[in-house]
Amino acid sequence: MCREAQLSDPELVNLCQAISDGQRAEIEQMNRIAARLR
């Protein structure tokens, strides 16, 4: 959602970036665990 939003407020832009970064890290961790369990 954040990537598609037309945000101009710096605080919202930073918050969206932090959320996206956190989700990306969690997805990568999940993928590593799934690969290990295969």
Side-chain angles (χ1 to χ4, degrees), residues 15-35:
L15 180 58
C16 265
Q17 186 62 50
I19 291 169
S20 294
D21 291 346
Q23 289 176 337
R24 193 169 317 127
E26 290 170 350
I27 291 168
E28 289 171 2
Q29 179 183 12
M30 189 171 51
N31 287 335
R32 286 192 302 273
I33 292 169

Side-chain angles (χ1 to χ4, degrees), residues 6-18:
Q6 299 294 323
L7 301 175
S8 59
D9 181 77
E11 186 176 10
L12 281 177
V13 171
N14 288 337
L15 180 58
C16 265
Q17 186 62 50

